[in-house]
Amino acid sequence: MQAPSEQALARPAIYQALVKGLAYPSEEFMAQAQAWQTALTEALETVDLSADQVAAALEESNGDLQALQVEHTRLFINGVPHVLAPPYASVYEDGGQLMGQSAARALRAYQEAGLMLSAAVHALPDHLAVELEFMFYLGREEVEADEQGDAAQADVMRQRSVVFLNECLLPWVPAWRQHVEESARLAFYPALARLAEAWLRTDAEYLTTMKV
Amino acid sequence: MSRAVLVDTPFCLACNACSAECKFENQPPEGLFYTRIDQIELGEYPAVKAEYIKRQCMHCEHPACVSACPVKALHKLPDGPVVYEAERCIGCRYCMVACPFNIPKIDFNARLPVITKCDFCADRQAVGESPVCVRTCPFGALEMGERDELIVEAQARISQSPDRYINHIYGQEEAGGTSWLYLSSVPFTELGLPELGSEPVSELSEKVAIYGTPTALVTVGAALAGVYWVTKRRMEMMTKPVTQDQKESE
Amino acid sequence: MALPNITLSRRQFLKLTGAATAAASTATLGNSLQFLTPVAQAAPLSAEDTILYGVCGVCSMGCAYIAHLRGGRITHLTGNPADQTAEGSLCVKGYSGVRLLYDPDRLKYPMKRTNPEKGVGVDPGWVKISWDEALDLTANTFKEVRDTFGPQAIMLVARTKTWQKHFAQASGTPNHVGHNNTCYTTHDVIWRAMVTGKGKTWTVDYEHSQYILAFGWDGMGKSKNHWGRAVNQALANGARLVVFDPRLSITASKAHEWIPIKPGTDLAALLAMIHVIIDEELYDHEFVNNYTTGFDELKAHVKDYTPEWAAPICEVPAETLARTAREFATTKPAVVAHHKRDAGGPNYTNSWRTAQCFVIMDALVGSLDRPGGHILDRKPKLPGLRDVWEFPDYADTIKGPRIDGLEQFPVLKPLGKGSFSTLAEGILSQSPYPVKAAFFWKHNILSFPNPPRLVEALKTLDFIAVSDVLPTEIVQLADVVLPDNTFYEGSGLNARQYHATYPQVALREPLPPVHDTKSFTSVSLEILKRMGLGEYVPEGMGGKGLTQAELEVLGTTADEIKAQGGIWGEAAPIKPNTEFGTASKKIEFKATLLEENGYPGLPSWQPPRAKSDANYPFHLLIWRRPWDRMTQTQNDPIVSSFCPENRAMLNAARAREMGIAEGDEVWIESLANKIKLKARLTQGIRPDCVAVEHGFGHWSTGLSIAYGKGANDGDLIPTHTVEQQLAAGDPAMSAMMEDVVVKVYKV
């Protein structure tokens, strides 16, 4: 039985934390923000990344939920001028429209992994949160496989992870991050976007070395 | 047998559906379109006419671009389309010079500038589909078929409506014949189509390649050498201390 | 969402096998998926190609389409070959609709504004809310307004269709305001009075015409799917096309003759032609004798309207008018082409009379409801709401006076439409009473005359709810945003209307919504319920229920229609009507319905309202590019590149006289406002006109591509009070959109 490494354990936690951080700000999130931040920080320590900027930005926001909601809406949903940092791969990769080839690619990856989009939540396949959740899922399954001694399955998950990361996330997240930085009025989302990008790059390196 | 398209310009209503849908489905590089509609005003108020003509690669029977290309990146398929392989392109632009219709364009967004153009939707045709523009046109301006049958059809239209068409099928003979054929109600030159003989332009471009290149190399080389000498002299002059006399004379 | 209590210790991190761990002070991230869910069994890869049948909603032509899907996304559209309207094709706007469907600027979730300040360029500070909150907020506010001020204090600004009418009437308000007096009320009123007893007809059999006469009609330039093809066919078959238009439109460029008539004087030209046709006895005696009344009165009426009289008014030679009239009458079949915003549309103070002349001309040559002419719609009789459900009568309050004054136009009122030209003035003057809340659907501020005036009016309202697809200008003023489905995401049946030579119905299969959107139908019914008007929403009432009833009446099922290619109906040749919908059952040259309501039954000459002079020397012309539809298509990244901004189009020689070169910035100024545009010089326009494309000047910053491009022609068009409309003596309440003179000068 091969115990999963610290990094292998931390990976899904970091992805899950990002998914939560990028969700539409809610009262529950604000209530548990401190805990979320701590969990993220601890998980990031294994890979030498810091959540300090994010923490500082959260502190700065002073618990003003509505301000964060306005910011989230204008950056990611509908904004002035125009939706400022649409979090969809298609927008950056497929000529500015939704549901381009990138969405089809992501959907195929989910289907191959035995998943489908939940009907209850209206999300497009190449939405950043969905793609990050997929990485969380694969990491989680990899850990479980490791703990159950199924090295082949763990390998499959790692393989899927590296392909998805390189094909469906890394190509466009830097451009998205740039849009967030250019348009944000509050510090939280730029900090989170920068962290997300840094994490994706780190994880890509890690996964590539793991393949060897 | 060669597939071709008959463009009946009196039918064109300049809606640009062909241009828009080609852009959407074939995704040429940013800022470029593989096909466009030119709108041309003729005459003076109130004796004015407006004409509309779809422009795209003519998919010549004897393509000048194919002859001119030094790396064989372009070639004519037996069933009509003139296609190209971007990976082979070295960006020399001979094809741009050779093409009498000014069709190949440089894709400046690519890491290495390569040419790009309409390829008659060769991939779609290979699986029995229509080119996007032909499928899209709502108003009957584009008809696809076998080239010789389309020529017969075009002749029939001219005979049936002599007041409607100039008695000529553009592309039947021009430049040795093209796969895209045109009917018009005004002289074709007024639509921006070049007046061409029936000699394939590729013969001209071969002459350019065979004789022109070495000539160009020699003459341009000589000229460049001359420029180099002059510049070198100037620079030597500049590094010398400037006397008062020289300053005044400059 | 609640985060389950799984703890993460420093050394053990997240134990994903679910084993309980020692509680620690850190972390609660959770183990569950939110967006993805495991499939019960291995789902087949949906990379296969499928199709969905539907009906395009970009314009009202309603061409039936086939959506081609791969992996659940539409890759492209084609027209349905079985549809008599589409005939296997769509138009550039229809094909572009896919880019609307997948526009990243689309409204995705319900939202509300957090910034109480409203205005042009003001950031609403939207936040996403749940559907429950959005519906409650809207319903509670409407209920409060209704209880405090009366039902008439709520206005619905929407197309006058089934579910929209139901909402307005159920809520008790008379104020269901459509856009129609900027669109086609002149034609509607005339066809009602002279021919049908209801509204205008839409089907025209151009493909069999041999002579097509047009006054300002540019159906080919607007890329109207069926008609462009049909006229092309007619031309190829030797038909003659003659176009009177101050501007060389695309239709005019295809014509055998383009006659640059003086704007607003088409009425004089037509009266002269009618005179010639009658005087020279060129009319269709059989048709006139059997199917019309009032001929003798008409003949006497046009006695003095000679071509010589008309020529100086229209600035068209008398011989041209006479010859055209003779050709029109003796080439069979002949038709006067018209649709909405041609010379007979609500563009001038005299347009309703021009529209009447159109029908007179067609009746004189016997092409009404005959091959080659305008065809009365053959539509299946489908059930209405009361055929399917029982609910109480609507309250009498719906018959009360309206904020747009429409009820004061008795020939127009029964057609159930609305007036955009008087709305702003009505609200601002609180006449006949104040309006406090509004519900907008599928209409934008930029479509109104003088939009800045409407913005002022809307700012006086307490509450605005908007159901829409893109964040247009009205959405920026909304208090609550209710994201609507695109037509791709809706379901039902659609009877063919714009080309319906026999009854035919198209199936609409919905694409699963891309975002968290809901149709106006379901939203409005829910709001009624939450307003406490649930008695108007009986069990099962909704779009699906109505569709089911319609299918039963047709005697078929959705699956059957799908199996037959998405279209129901059997082709049948046109059986010409011998009776019509008027009181006399004949086509009435002298419309008794008009006379009964205090209007003249026959069209007399009346000049347009606006006269050019030294101060305002130019006539304003409004036109559209083929790929643009009203104000909806400028956010399309591809077609907007063809013409990123609109221009001030001027006669080249005239412009040069004024020292204006191509691309120079100019002001166009009317009494209402001024707008700034770059000049475009052309040979194809009268020297006394300036033409501007409609649909630009978006100031909603929510539209990333359309924002800030060009200027809005509508700013130049004045609003009216109801009194001004009444004074114009026009039974159709025309908004007189082009009856405007302007000055043009360099910036």
Side-chain angles (χ1 to χ4, degrees):
Chain A
M1 180 171 341
Q2 182 199 322
S5 68
E6 271 192 7
Q7 183 142 354
L9 285 168
R11 294 183 59 248
I14 296 168
Y15 279 112
Q16 184 72 304
L18 288 173
V19 172
K20 303 284 194 245
L22 286 168
Y24 187 71
S26 64
E27 274 175 20
E28 296 98 298
F29 177 79
M30 294 305 270
Q32 313 214 335
Q34 196 52 28
W36 168 82
Q37 187 192 303
T38 311
L40 178 58
T41 306
E42 290 193 355
L44 286 172
E45 274 174 9
T46 49
V47 294
D48 248 339
L49 286 175
S50 161
D52 283 350
Q53 276 191 10
V54 171
L58 255 185
E59 174 122 6
E60 213 178 279
S61 77
N62 221 357
D64 187 346
L65 175 61
Q66 187 177 90
L68 266 181
Q69 287 178 329
V70 171
E71 179 81 337
H72 185 283
T73 305
R74 63 185 281 275
L75 288 175
F76 306 133
I77 302 177
N78 283 110
V80 289
H82 63 261
V83 58
L84 295 159
Y88 305 90
S90 299
V91 171
Y92 304 92
E93 298 286 284
D94 304 316
Q97 289 267 292
L98 299 179
M99 289 302 275
Q101 290 292 348
S102 310
R105 208 173 301 129
L107 194 60
R108 258 198 305 281
Y110 306 152
Q111 284 165 343
E112 278 168 15
L115 297 171
M116 65 184 202
L117 284 166
S118 166
V121 187
H122 275 91
L124 295 181
D126 59 337
H127 189 287
L128 181 57
V130 182
E131 296 197 342
L132 291 173
E133 179 172 277
F134 185 56
M135 292 299 290
F136 155 69
Y137 170 81
L138 293 174
R140 187 189 79 179
E141 293 299 294
E142 180 195 329
V143 164
E144 210 168 295
D146 271 335
E147 288 184 342
Q148 287 172 1
D150 191 345
Q153 175 73 340
D155 226 35
V156 168
M157 293 300 137
R158 256 192 304 276
Q159 180 61 19
R160 290 213 169 112
S161 297
V162 72
V163 168
F164 191 79
L165 185 49
N166 283 316
E167 280 184 8
C168 296
L169 275 164
L170 274 175
W172 65 278
V173 169
W176 167 79
R177 185 262 310 149
Q178 192 171 357
H179 279 72
V180 176
E181 284 183 322
E182 281 165 7
S183 311
R185 290 184 188 141
L186 304 177
F188 180 68
Y189 288 110
L192 197 57
R194 275 190 293 270
L195 178 58
E197 185 183 343
W199 162 242
L200 291 177
R201 292 193 198 282
T202 305
D203 200 33
E205 261 180 57
Y206 162 78
L207 285 170
T208 315
T209 50
M210 282 302 290
K211 272 175 73 177
V212 178
Chain B
M1 276 286 96
S2 187
R3 306 275 291 159
V5 176
L6 176 61
V7 184
D8 194 326
T9 60
F11 277 121
C12 177
L13 303 185
C15 74
N16 278 264
C18 54
S19 184
E21 288 316 291
C22 170
K23 178 78 173 171
F24 179 57
E25 295 189 44
N26 293 325
Q27 304 207 325
E30 188 167 337
L32 293 178
F33 284 80
Y34 288 143
T35 184
R36 66 174 197 270
I37 301 292
D38 284 348
Q39 300 196 234
I40 297 143
E41 224 170 57
L42 302 164
E44 252 183 49
Y45 178 82
V48 198
K49 284 191 77 53
E51 297 288 332
Y52 319 113
I53 177 170
K54 179 181 187 293
R55 299 300 303 272
Q56 73 298 304
C57 175
M58 300 290 271
H59 298 282
C60 305
E61 302 288 270
H62 305 278
C65 58
V66 170
S67 306
C69 179
V71 297
K72 298 218 186 321
L74 294 141
H75 56 283
K76 170 115 178 151
L77 299 177
D79 54 343
V82 175
V83 299
Y84 64 95
E85 293 159 75
E87 317 84 61
R88 280 179 177 255
C89 179
I90 56 169
C92 75
R93 309 191 204 189
Y94 276 6
C95 59
M96 290 174 74
V97 173
C99 176
F101 304 106
N102 200 18
I103 290 301
K105 298 282 183 295
I106 282 284
D107 173 9
F108 287 109
N109 296 306
R111 233 164 318 169
L112 295 168
V114 295
I115 65 101
T116 187
K117 72 174 189 70
C118 155
D119 72 350
F120 209 170
C121 286
D123 289 345
R124 288 173 209 275
Q125 286 203 54
V127 294
E129 289 173 10
S130 285
V132 173
C133 55
V134 173
R135 180 231 294 155
T136 299
C137 177
F139 300 122
L142 304 176
E143 183 162 339
M144 182 137 179
E146 294 301 323
R147 190 170 183 275
D148 44 6
E149 284 172 15
L150 284 178
I151 289 172
V152 171
E153 166 71 25
Q155 281 161 345
R157 290 187 197 180
I158 294 172
S159 311
Q160 197 199 348
S161 314
D163 295 333
R164 189 167 152 85
Y165 299 106
I166 296 275
N167 187 8
H168 182 70
I169 304 164
Y170 189 95
Q172 184 175 3
E173 312 254 281
E174 277 82 358
T178 59
S179 293
W180 280 70
L181 306 161
Y182 286 79
L183 289 173
S184 170
S185 57
V186 300
F188 290 94
T189 46
E190 289 183 5
L191 298 178
L193 285 171
E195 205 165 323
L196 295 170
S198 57
E199 182 186 295
V201 179
S202 53
E203 297 192 357
L204 297 170
S205 64
E206 273 162 8
K207 289 180 187 136
V208 166
I210 292 170
Y211 300 113
T213 311
T215 314
L217 280 172
V218 170
T219 48
V220 170
L224 286 172
V227 169
Y228 171 73
W229 183 86
V230 167
T231 314
K232 191 158 172 256
R233 276 294 288 164
R234 276 248 174 93
M235 286 183 66
E236 283 165 4
M237 297 291 285
M238 276 162 65
T239 52
K240 286 189 179 155
V242 178
T243 64
Q244 189 65 24
D245 301 358
Q246 280 169 310
K247 257 169 100 171
E248 279 169 22
S249 66
E250 266 162 33
Chain C
M1 65 253 121
L3 301 167
N5 229 350
I6 305 175
T7 58
L8 184 76
S9 72
R10 192 173 172 80
R11 301 223 31 109
Q12 287 181 295
F13 295 105
L14 186 63
K15 273 298 189 179
L16 299 167
T17 51
T21 57
S25 58
T26 53
T28 53
L29 284 172
N31 199 18
S32 51
L33 296 175
Q34 184 193 343
F35 302 103
L36 298 163
T37 182
V39 291
Q41 59 212 58
L45 288 182
S46 64
E48 78 273 16
D49 298 343
T50 53
I51 61 166
L52 283 177
Y53 292 110
V55 173
C56 182
V58 178
C59 88
S60 307
M61 193 151 234
C63 302
Y65 66 73
I66 300 174
H68 300 259
L69 287 86
R70 175 167 293 175
R73 46 183 276 271
I74 298 182
T75 55
H76 65 281
L77 303 165
T78 53
N80 192 321
D83 174 28
Q84 53 181 310
T85 309
E87 302 174 303
S89 234
L90 297 176
C91 79
V92 58
K93 298 179 288 294
Y95 292 123
S96 301
V98 184
R99 293 188 280 285
L100 169 66
L101 175 66
Y102 296 135
D103 190 327
D105 283 326
R106 256 189 79 186
L107 300 171
K108 306 174 184 70
Y109 303 100
M111 300 189 296
K112 70 178 182 191
R113 76 188 298 119
T114 57
N115 180 1
E117 196 199 325
K118 288 184 184 179
V120 177
V122 174
D123 185 341
W126 288 319
V127 289
K128 177 174 110 155
I129 58 178
S130 69
W131 269 106
D132 252 337
E133 190 185 334
L135 292 167
D136 276 337
L137 183 51
T138 306
N140 291 338
T141 313
F142 282 166
K143 180 173 193 312
E144 209 180 296
V145 167
R146 195 169 174 271
D147 290 342
T148 315
F149 300 99
Q152 76 288 345
I154 304 174
M155 70 177 185
L156 173 68
V157 180
R159 278 148 211 288
T160 49
K161 297 181 173 207
T162 305
W163 295 107
Q164 290 68 24
K165 285 198 255 197
H166 183 63
F167 177 84
Q169 291 171 322
S171 77
T173 183
N175 294 317
H176 184 175
V177 181
H179 73 304
N180 316 81
N181 82 329
T182 63
C183 195
Y184 63 89
T185 49
T186 44
H187 291 297
D188 231 12
V189 159
I190 289 301
W191 278 84
R192 172 169 190 237
M194 289 182 68
V195 187
T196 64
K198 34 183 193 167
K200 85 181 285 291
T201 186
W202 302 100
T203 301
V204 192
D205 187 30
Y206 291 117
E207 46 259 69
H208 298 112
S209 304
Q210 277 294 291
Y211 196 100
I212 303 169
L213 180 58
F215 291 86
W217 177 78
D218 189 21
M220 302 177 97
K222 288 161 80 176
S223 196
K224 296 307 271 192
N225 189 13
H226 187 98
W227 297 332
R229 221 170 16 257
V231 176
N232 267 348
Q233 252 176 271
L235 290 172
N237 289 337
R240 190 167 176 82
L241 173 64
V242 173
V243 175
F244 286 75
D245 197 318
R247 175 182 70 92
L248 182 73
S249 65
I250 291 178
T251 305
S253 76
K254 295 297 172 187
H256 294 90
E257 279 178 84
W258 168 50
I259 297 158
I261 189 170
K262 190 171 163 72
T265 65
D266 310 76
L267 174 61
L270 282 154
L271 288 169
M273 291 187 195
I274 292 168
H275 167 99
V276 168
I277 292 171
I278 293 179
D279 192 52
E280 298 181 13
E281 307 233 345
L282 299 172
Y283 54 93
D284 185 326
H285 286 68
E286 193 245 345
F287 190 91
V288 167
N289 289 340
N290 287 328
Y291 306 116
T292 73
T293 66
F295 177 79
D296 293 332
E297 290 93 319
L298 173 66
K299 177 170 172 165
H301 183 79
V302 297
K303 192 163 59 70
D304 296 329
Y305 289 133
T306 62
E308 290 69 27
W309 159 82
I313 297 173
C314 323
E315 297 181 6
V316 175
E319 177 47 38
T320 305
L321 296 173
R323 174 176 54 77
T324 305
R326 288 178 199 121
E327 287 170 3
F328 178 78
T330 56
T331 315
K332 292 189 178 297
V335 67
V336 177
H338 66 78
H339 177 50
K340 289 178 175 170
R341 287 284 297 276
D342 43 66
N347 286 318
Y348 300 97
T349 201
N350 60 15
S351 289
W352 67 282
R353 304 174 198 257
T354 308
Q356 187 166 13
C357 288
F358 286 176
V359 178
I360 290 173
M361 290 279 278
D362 279 354
L364 284 174
V365 300
S367 69
L368 265 174
D369 203 47
R370 300 288 181 273
H374 289 269
I375 307 291
L376 301 185
D377 302 330
R378 268 79 169 152
K379 288 166 67 173
K381 182 102 180 52
L382 293 176
L385 295 183
R386 289 206 189 269
D387 296 318
V388 187
W389 293 284
E390 262 184 46
F391 51 91
D393 290 341
Y394 298 123
D396 276 341
T397 48
I398 67 172
K399 300 182 189 138
R402 295 166 54 115
I403 193 69
D404 64 0
L406 190 87
E407 80 283 356
Q408 300 189 46
F409 294 82
V411 188
L412 178 59
K413 172 73 169 67
L415 294 170
K417 304 285 156 85
S419 164
F420 268 16
S421 64
T422 49
L423 187 63
E425 299 311 319
I427 296 172
L428 285 167
S429 61
Q430 301 199 347
S431 158
Y433 44 69
V435 165
K436 293 289 184 183
F439 191 4
F440 270 76
W441 176 69
K442 238 183 147 177
H443 276 311
N444 188 21
I445 296 175
L446 297 188
S447 302
F448 284 74
N450 203 349
R453 194 86 174 126
L454 182 69
V455 172
E456 266 180 75
L458 292 177
K459 289 207 285 197
T460 68
L461 266 51
D462 292 340
F463 181 84
I464 301 173
V466 178
S467 167
D468 216 320
V469 173
L470 283 177
T472 56
E473 285 67 20
I474 185 59
V475 177
Q476 281 221 297
L477 295 189
D479 291 281
V480 174
V481 180
L482 306 162
D484 192 13
N485 287 338
T486 61
F487 53 87
Y488 301 104
E489 296 153 321
S491 61
L493 296 178
N494 188 297
R496 316 293 58 229
Q497 181 176 40
Y498 267 35
H499 200 79
T501 59
Y502 56 88
Q504 189 181 53
V505 167
L507 179 68
R508 298 181 60 207
E509 297 182 284
L511 182 75
V514 176
H515 303 295
D516 193 6
T517 52
K518 287 193 198 297
S519 70
F520 176 90
T521 304
S522 64
V523 163
S524 62
L525 292 176
E526 191 55 38
I527 291 173
L528 282 175
K529 285 200 280 206
R530 296 182 194 212
M531 281 171 77
L533 295 165
E535 67 265 32
Y536 290 104
V537 191
E539 185 70 39
M541 176 183 259
K544 291 198 172 47
L546 186 61
T547 303
Q548 191 48 44
E550 290 171 340
L551 286 166
E552 278 165 21
V553 163
L554 295 175
T556 183
T557 65
D559 285 337
E560 236 175 61
I561 301 182
K562 188 179 170 81
Q564 287 159 15
I567 301 287
W568 174 97
E570 259 190 59
I574 301 171
K575 207 173 126 221
N577 278 301
T578 52
E579 270 185 13
F580 298 90
T582 55
S584 61
K585 301 224 185 296
K586 299 205 192 257
I587 298 162
E588 301 189 356
F589 285 121
K590 187 162 184 268
T592 51
L593 185 63
L594 289 175
E595 287 181 318
E596 281 162 14
N597 286 282
Y599 299 98
L602 284 163
S604 299
W605 166 244
Q606 176 197 12
R609 164 184 70 181
K611 295 174 193 358
S612 63
D613 57 24
N615 243 338
Y616 294 94
F618 289 92
H619 296 274
L620 176 67
L621 302 176
I622 299 167
W623 64 294
R624 281 156 194 77
R625 295 282 184 172
W627 48 82
D628 274 336
R629 211 259 162 147
M630 291 163 38
T631 54
Q632 292 169 35
T633 43
Q634 284 79 33
N635 215 42
D636 179 326
I638 293 177
V639 300
S640 63
S641 68
F642 297 145
C643 175
E645 53 182 6
N646 55 349
R647 296 288 182 102
M649 194 158 81
L650 292 161
N651 177 283
R654 182 73 196 269
R656 260 179 253 118
E657 273 170 33
M658 297 168 66
I660 297 174
E662 178 83 23
D664 281 351
E665 282 197 318
V666 299
W667 285 107
I668 305 178
E669 186 178 327
S670 74
L671 284 168
N673 271 311
K674 64 182 190 188
I675 61 175
K676 194 199 308 184
L677 289 171
K678 296 197 189 102
R680 168 180 285 119
L681 273 49
T682 179
Q683 298 295 338
I685 193 171
R686 284 174 59 99
D688 62 356
C689 293
V690 59
V692 178
E693 297 106 307
H694 179 63
F696 291 83
H698 281 278
W699 48 260
S700 170
T701 46
L703 298 166
S704 51
I705 292 169
Y707 168 66
K709 302 264 174 55
N712 188 19
D713 55 296
D715 285 9
L716 297 169
I717 306 169
T719 54
H720 303 126
T721 61
V722 178
E723 289 65 43
Q724 285 172 322
Q725 296 276 180
L726 286 167
D730 170 2
M733 211 177 172
S734 159
M736 301 180 260
M737 305 286 276
E738 289 180 303
D739 212 337
V740 175
V741 285
V742 296
K743 52 177 111 168
V744 179
Y745 52 95
K746 275 172 82 163
V747 165

